Amino acid sequence: MRKRSYISLAAGATALGGAALAYASLVERNLFTLRRFDVPVLEPDAEPLRILHLSDLHMMPDQRRKQAWVAALVGTDPDLVVVTGDNMSSPESVPGVLQALAPFLDLPGAFVFGSNDYQGPVWKNPLLYLASGRDYVQGVDLPYEALRSAFVESGWADLNNARTVLKAGGRSVELVGVDDPHVDRDDYAAVAGPASTGVDLHIGVTHTPASRVLNPMAADGFSLLLAGHTHGGQVCVPGYGALTTNCDLPHAMAKGLHRWPGSDAWLHVSAGLGTHPTAPVRFACRPEAGILTLIPR
């Protein structure tokens, strides 16, 4: 009797695990979701300003449903579009990325790259994301210069270790950004310095929300920090949350809007719209884009 009970339990657990995997790989990873946040960073009496934050598309050439969903976000009428990297997962991804972003390229925009804009992902055991100190291995070279040229020629600001001021929604916006800290391409020291006076808004941008970048950005007076990279944990435990952020960001901040510790800055971490192509699953962590409505403090 006891043996039959164990067999029944094992069979039930196996069936439940199979159902969860099927849901994560076939359903949830395609449940694209728009998150909305109000962020109190503007001066009193200022009119709201809308930012569309996109991240971690990890686009494959045949992902037309994702491309169409992203393109339709133009209906949110953003004043500024910020893309925080990891756009590609294949050497043939550039046309799909541009198809998704085409409706936004006439709007004010800015971008940084992530590691998977430079080199493609390779197969790895997903459990290794829970281990610290692992070697980071990347695959085939990706056509990042073609993507950079398309963005820059449309008028978007390249914030990879760069700083600029642009106009959006009738306001002056100072942006500072770094190339991806996850693969040590960041050089914040080259663009560091106090936020400019006489500017309406100050935004810091990075792919990986590494504290070595976010801390000095906040200390320099950048009141809104934008990042991606974490996938929100990608596979989360219901009622608990992310098991990893793949960087030194606390697990509780794996996605969403948070006050950055020790500062007056707000941090928005996008859980992103894609998955690692060798682990195409999402569980308790839908793929997402974010509309941030900036409002007076």
Side-chain angles (χ1 to χ4, degrees), residues 52-274:
L52 175 62
H53 182 191
L54 300 170
S55 197
D56 296 88
L57 292 173
H58 289 282
M59 190 69 73
M60 295 294 284
D62 60 347
Q63 291 180 326
R64 293 182 179 85
R65 185 173 182 272
K66 184 194 296 183
Q67 294 163 21
W69 189 87
V70 173
L73 293 175
V74 72
T76 61
D77 194 24
D79 298 301
L80 174 66
V81 180
V82 180
V83 176
T84 49
D86 272 10
N87 297 281
M88 299 184 281
S89 283
S90 161
E92 288 75 45
S93 290
V94 170
V97 174
L98 296 180
Q99 179 70 22
L101 298 180
F104 308 102
L105 294 179
D106 290 333
L107 300 175
F111 69 95
V112 294
F113 282 153
S115 61
N116 285 152
D117 290 305
Y118 295 107
Q119 291 179 286
V122 297
W123 188 91
K124 61 189 73 174
N125 184 341
L127 294 178
L128 291 178
Y129 283 103
L130 302 178
S132 59
R134 59 186 174 83
D135 292 333
Y136 185 70
V137 180
Q138 287 187 279
V140 64
D141 290 343
L142 297 178
Y144 66 93
E145 288 296 359
L147 189 62
R148 188 200 308 273
S149 294
F151 286 167
V152 171
E153 288 169 9
S154 75
W156 281 13
D158 181 351
L159 295 178
N160 290 292
N161 299 322
R163 187 166 176 162
T164 192
V165 176
L166 55 75
K167 284 285 188 179
R171 262 65 64 86
S172 57
V173 182
E174 183 176 34
L175 300 108
V176 67
V178 293
D179 209 338
D180 192 6
H182 190 57
V183 286
D184 297 323
R185 299 181 69 107
D186 56 304
D187 186 8
Y188 186 71
V191 292
S196 299
T197 58
V199 175
D200 297 310
L201 176 65
H202 305 88
I203 302 175
V205 184
T206 176
H207 175 66
T208 300
S211 61
R212 72 171 187 258
V213 168
L214 298 179
N215 281 331
M217 284 180 174
D220 278 343
F222 287 85
S223 56
L224 176 61
L225 311 174
L226 303 178
H229 177 69
T230 67
H231 293 202
Q234 189 158 322
V235 173
C236 297
V237 177
Y240 177 81
L243 298 175
T244 179
T245 60
N246 201 20
C247 62
D248 67 350
L249 187 73
H251 293 177
M253 301 173 73
K255 62 181 177 180
L257 184 68
H258 305 273
R259 181 76 82 170
W260 183 244
S263 77
D264 293 329
W266 291 92
L267 168 67
H268 180 254
V269 180
S270 173
L273 283 158

